[in-house]
Amino acid sequence: FVLIHDIATQCRSLAARRITVVGNRQLDEMTVMRQAGIHPGINILSVRLGICRDRLLAHPWIAEAAVGRQFPDRLEIRILEHQPVAMVEMADGRLLIDAAGRPFKRWQEGDPERIPVIRGLAYADLPALSPPETPLLAEALEVLRCWQAAVPAAAADRPPPVIVVDRDAGFALETGSYLGTVVLGSGHY
């Protein structure tokens, strides 16, 4: 069995001639392949699909991943990237969060900049590993959803809003437009 395994995983006719990456928007194909540990010419039977998937999920931009083989010479990597809906400003930097309020990555140069900003939250206000959202974060995301529903698409050239959280006074929205800062208070937006 060891001999058969060695022959199969070293066979040149099973070398990956085509590697397809699907679902990437933020990351380029080479970054995804490098993260998975896959390269052109690798024997498709030597690829341990579960390990490649785990390696992909370790990347902060990748939310979901799947790796598959198509005989005789093709590998396919499917990923779903996190979609940042806002950036949370903390004392030591910025965090990108998705629609569920999960922080998934520290903001770095080259990451999206024209997204709404939330100020005034503490680390305790963010979910540790997965939702449920904390009350302040849930309310901040509700303010953001209301703003996005109310603002026409033509306003896309304006700066994104800044949501300011004040534990005593509630929420304020810095619109970056003629409206200036709108103090909302708490609830019933």
Side-chain angles (χ1 to χ4, degrees):
F1 288 116
V2 172
L3 179 63
I4 293 171
H5 176 268
D6 286 348
I7 290 170
T9 58
Q10 295 174 19
C11 179
R12 288 190 184 133
S13 63
L14 294 174
R17 288 183 180 80
R18 283 189 30 204
I19 300 173
T20 308
V21 177
V22 179
N24 58 317
R25 293 161 85 181
Q26 184 70 26
L27 303 173
D28 61 68
E29 288 184 7
M30 288 306 295
T31 301
V32 174
M33 288 191 301
R34 203 172 21 254
Q35 182 71 26
I38 293 174
H39 55 83
I42 192 170
N43 182 293
I44 66 171
L45 290 179
S46 70
V47 174
R48 297 182 64 192
L49 303 178
I51 291 173
C52 289
R53 180 181 182 277
D54 291 344
R55 291 185 66 181
L56 288 166
L57 291 175
H59 194 285
W61 274 109
I62 300 176
E64 294 293 328
V67 182
R69 298 181 187 99
Q70 293 182 353
F71 289 97
D73 61 356
R74 186 169 175 218
L75 290 170
E76 183 176 78
I77 302 171
R78 291 188 168 277
I79 63 170
L80 175 65
E81 293 179 347
H82 287 283
Q83 297 300 315
V85 296
M87 191 177 339
V88 179
E89 270 189 8
M90 307 302 272
D92 61 347
R94 297 174 171 180
L95 300 172
L96 295 175
I97 61 170
D98 62 16
R102 289 183 299 257
F104 64 90
K105 182 183 184 312
R106 283 201 174 279
W107 185 87
Q108 297 174 318
E109 194 68 38
D111 287 345
E113 294 181 21
R114 293 193 48 83
I115 59 175
V117 175
I118 301 173
R119 288 188 189 135
L121 293 177
Y123 280 107
D125 297 319
L126 301 175
L129 295 174
S130 61
E133 302 163 335
T134 60
L136 277 177
L137 179 60
E139 216 167 331
L141 291 173
E142 180 61 24
V143 169
L144 177 60
R145 283 188 279 276
C146 290
W147 171 257
Q148 290 171 336
V151 173
D157 60 333
R158 293 193 179 125
V162 175
I163 299 166
V164 181
V165 179
D166 183 320
R167 293 177 194 285
D168 297 324
F171 291 83
L173 188 65
E174 296 174 4
T175 64
S177 69
Y178 66 91
L179 293 174
T181 300
V182 179
V183 179
L184 301 170
S186 294
H188 306 292
Y189 305 111

XYZ file of all heavy atoms in Angstrom, residues 11-51:
313
model
N 3.103 10.610 -9.440
C 2.814 10.429 -10.860
C 2.725 11.789 -11.563
O 1.974 12.662 -11.159
C 1.501 9.663 -11.001
S 1.014 9.388 -12.695
N 3.496 11.939 -12.642
C 3.525 13.220 -13.367
C 2.219 13.503 -14.102
O 1.885 14.656 -14.351
C 4.684 13.236 -14.347
C 6.002 13.359 -13.662
C 7.118 13.609 -14.660
N 8.383 13.633 -13.948
C 9.455 13.001 -14.327
N 9.441 12.280 -15.423
N 10.549 13.071 -13.620
N 1.488 12.469 -14.459
C 0.231 12.701 -15.184
C -0.859 13.272 -14.274
O -1.878 13.740 -14.754
C -0.256 11.420 -15.848
O -0.543 10.441 -14.877
N -0.623 13.251 -12.969
C -1.584 13.834 -12.020
C -1.099 15.185 -11.480
O -1.595 15.667 -10.473
C -1.849 12.865 -10.870
C -2.563 11.572 -11.251
C -2.637 10.629 -10.060
C -3.949 11.861 -11.796
N -0.142 15.797 -12.169
C 0.344 17.120 -11.769
C -0.711 18.168 -12.108
O -1.351 18.102 -13.163
C 1.651 17.443 -12.483
N -0.891 19.113 -11.215
C -1.893 20.172 -11.414
C -1.444 21.101 -12.536
O -0.456 21.810 -12.409
C -2.100 20.951 -10.119
N -2.187 21.058 -13.619
C -1.880 21.951 -14.742
C -2.761 23.192 -14.701
O -2.402 24.231 -15.245
C -2.065 21.211 -16.059
C -0.969 20.189 -16.289
C -1.099 19.485 -17.632
N -0.031 18.524 -17.815
C -0.018 17.314 -17.274
N -0.997 16.928 -16.496
N 0.993 16.493 -17.487
N -3.923 23.066 -14.060
C -4.832 24.204 -13.912
C -5.261 24.298 -12.456
O -5.752 23.329 -11.878
C -6.062 24.020 -14.789
C -5.781 24.324 -16.227
C -7.011 24.378 -17.107
N -8.219 24.810 -16.438
C -9.430 24.501 -16.870
N -9.589 23.774 -17.944
N -10.496 24.926 -16.225
N -5.070 25.465 -11.895
C -5.546 25.745 -10.536
C -6.486 26.931 -10.647
O -6.092 28.010 -11.094
C -4.380 26.057 -9.579
C -3.418 24.871 -9.512
C -4.920 26.400 -8.189
C -2.152 25.135 -8.730
N -7.731 26.702 -10.282
C -8.749 27.738 -10.386
C -9.046 28.288 -8.999
O -9.258 27.526 -8.057
C -10.051 27.155 -10.977
O -9.735 26.481 -12.192
C -11.073 28.237 -11.234
N -9.054 29.607 -8.895
C -9.420 30.280 -7.645
C -10.695 31.054 -7.920
O -10.757 31.872 -8.831
C -8.298 31.224 -7.152
C -8.724 31.951 -5.897
C -7.010 30.446 -6.922
N -11.724 30.784 -7.119
C -13.031 31.401 -7.309
C -13.433 32.120 -6.025
O -13.243 31.602 -4.927
C -14.095 30.321 -7.646
C -15.466 30.925 -7.815
C -13.691 29.542 -8.885
N -13.991 33.320 -6.177
C -14.539 34.047 -5.035
C -13.622 35.108 -4.457
O -14.006 35.816 -3.531
N -12.440 35.237 -4.999
C -11.520 36.236 -4.455
C -11.813 37.600 -5.059
O -12.015 37.731 -6.252
C -10.069 35.830 -4.712
C -9.753 35.640 -6.171
O -10.534 35.049 -6.907
N -8.616 36.145 -6.600
N -11.852 38.609 -4.195
C -12.016 39.989 -4.634
C -10.912 40.850 -4.043
O -10.274 41.610 -4.736
C -13.382 40.511 -4.205
C -14.512 39.792 -4.929
C -15.807 39.938 -4.235
N -16.496 41.162 -4.583
C -17.644 41.491 -4.074
N -18.216 40.724 -3.198
N -18.239 42.608 -4.419
N -10.681 40.712 -2.769
C -9.648 41.485 -2.073
C -8.263 40.856 -2.304
O -7.285 41.561 -2.445
C -9.972 41.546 -0.580
C -9.040 42.388 0.232
C -9.171 43.876 -0.035
O -10.212 44.359 -0.447
N -8.106 44.615 0.188
N -8.209 39.548 -2.309
C -6.938 38.818 -2.436
C -6.707 38.395 -3.886
O -7.649 38.021 -4.577
C -6.967 37.564 -1.560
C -7.228 37.786 -0.074
C -7.401 36.453 0.640
C -6.102 38.578 0.547
N -5.444 38.423 -4.317
C -5.151 37.942 -5.666
C -4.975 36.414 -5.636
O -4.814 35.806 -4.585
C -3.918 38.640 -6.253
C -2.660 38.387 -5.450
O -2.180 37.237 -5.443
O -2.155 39.344 -4.829
N -5.004 35.803 -6.817
C -4.948 34.341 -6.929
C -3.669 33.756 -6.332
O -3.707 32.721 -5.680
C -5.084 33.914 -8.390
C -6.466 34.100 -8.951
C -6.603 33.580 -10.366
O -5.662 32.945 -10.890
O -7.678 33.810 -10.950
N -2.543 34.399 -6.569
C -1.272 33.872 -6.052
C -1.259 33.874 -4.523
O -0.748 32.938 -3.905
C -0.086 34.670 -6.594
C 0.182 34.413 -8.063
S 0.377 32.659 -8.477
C 1.856 32.260 -7.604
N -1.822 34.896 -3.902
C -1.890 34.947 -2.443
C -2.737 33.800 -1.914
O -2.373 33.146 -0.939
C -2.462 36.301 -1.973
O -1.630 37.350 -2.463
C -2.563 36.372 -0.466
N -3.865 33.535 -2.568
C -4.751 32.449 -2.143
C -4.041 31.103 -2.305
O -4.072 30.266 -1.394
C -6.082 32.480 -2.927
C -6.941 31.266 -2.601
C -6.844 33.769 -2.639
N -3.386 30.884 -3.434
C -2.688 29.611 -3.658
C -1.542 29.437 -2.653
O -1.356 28.358 -2.106
C -2.157 29.528 -5.090
C -3.252 29.329 -6.116
S -2.674 28.917 -7.780
C -1.655 30.284 -8.198
N -0.802 30.508 -2.410
C 0.307 30.437 -1.450
C -0.226 30.127 -0.041
O 0.340 29.323 0.679
C 1.065 31.770 -1.472
C 2.467 31.696 -1.007
C 3.282 32.966 -1.215
N 2.566 34.219 -1.390
C 2.443 34.859 -2.558
N 2.962 34.367 -3.647
N 1.787 36.002 -2.627
N -1.344 30.750 0.331
C -1.944 30.500 1.645
C -2.385 29.043 1.768
O -2.245 28.434 2.825
C -3.128 31.443 1.875
C -3.782 31.310 3.220
C -2.922 31.847 4.351
O -2.087 32.722 4.159
N -3.128 31.325 5.543
N -2.900 28.476 0.679
C -3.355 27.083 0.698
C -2.192 26.096 0.633
O -2.354 24.919 0.948
C -4.305 26.826 -0.472
N -1.017 26.568 0.209
C 0.129 25.668 0.054
C 0.074 24.887 -1.245
O 0.608 23.785 -1.349
N -0.582 25.459 -2.237
C -0.756 24.805 -3.537
C -0.004 25.605 -4.594
O -0.012 26.835 -4.568
C -2.259 24.735 -3.896
C -2.983 23.802 -2.920
C -2.457 24.281 -5.324
C -4.482 23.779 -3.109
N 0.628 24.905 -5.523
C 1.345 25.565 -6.608
C 1.180 24.744 -7.879
O 0.889 23.542 -7.821
C 2.837 25.722 -6.262
C 3.490 24.425 -5.907
N 3.966 23.556 -6.858
C 3.713 23.840 -4.703
C 4.470 22.486 -6.254
N 4.317 22.632 -4.945
N 1.342 25.389 -9.042
C 1.246 24.625 -10.291
C 2.270 23.496 -10.306
O 3.397 23.643 -9.858
C 1.580 25.674 -11.364
C 1.234 26.979 -10.730
C 1.560 26.816 -9.276
N 1.833 22.355 -10.795
C 2.714 21.196 -10.888
C 2.624 20.259 -9.700
O 3.150 19.144 -9.738
N 1.956 20.661 -8.629
C 1.809 19.783 -7.467
C 0.910 18.603 -7.850
O -0.038 18.757 -8.619
C 1.249 20.559 -6.257
C 1.373 19.736 -4.978
C -0.192 20.973 -6.492
C 1.062 20.528 -3.703
N 1.213 17.445 -7.364
C 0.406 16.260 -7.632
C -0.929 16.430 -6.913
O -0.967 16.680 -5.707
C 1.131 15.011 -7.129
C 0.370 13.751 -7.433
O -0.703 13.527 -6.884
N 0.926 12.919 -8.295
N -2.024 16.281 -7.648
C -3.329 16.563 -7.041
C -3.711 15.542 -5.964
O -4.515 15.838 -5.093
C -4.452 16.697 -8.096
C -4.709 15.391 -8.820
C -4.134 17.812 -9.067
C -5.951 15.424 -9.701
N -3.122 14.351 -5.995
C -3.404 13.373 -4.942
C -2.574 13.640 -3.681
O -2.924 13.169 -2.606
C -3.149 11.955 -5.441
C -4.134 11.434 -6.482
C -3.756 10.020 -6.904
C -5.553 11.486 -5.961
N -1.491 14.391 -3.820
C -0.678 14.694 -2.643
C -1.250 15.863 -1.840
O -0.825 16.117 -0.719
C 0.767 14.998 -3.051
O 0.842 16.230 -3.733
N -2.225 16.564 -2.401
C -2.844 17.707 -1.723
C -3.820 17.192 -0.676
O -4.752 16.451 -0.996
C -3.570 18.619 -2.743
C -4.323 19.718 -2.031
C -2.582 19.183 -3.742
N -3.582 17.574 0.552
C -4.500 17.198 1.643
C -5.528 18.314 1.766
O -5.246 19.400 2.274
C -3.714 16.971 2.913
C -2.731 15.782 2.697
C -1.930 15.420 3.870
N -2.775 14.943 4.960
C -2.333 14.774 6.187
N -1.078 15.022 6.481
N -3.140 14.353 7.127
N -6.719 18.021 1.262
C -7.748 19.037 1.106
C -8.130 19.707 2.426
O -8.302 20.925 2.477
C -8.984 18.428 0.440
C -8.740 17.779 -0.931
C -10.026 17.177 -1.472
C -8.149 18.763 -1.906
N -8.253 18.931 3.487
C -8.627 19.496 4.791
C -7.577 20.448 5.329
O -7.897 21.504 5.893
N -6.320 20.094 5.152
C -5.233 20.968 5.620
C -5.204 22.254 4.798
O -5.029 23.345 5.353
C -3.880 20.231 5.560
C -3.871 19.127 6.625
C -2.721 21.187 5.751
C -2.662 18.227 6.570
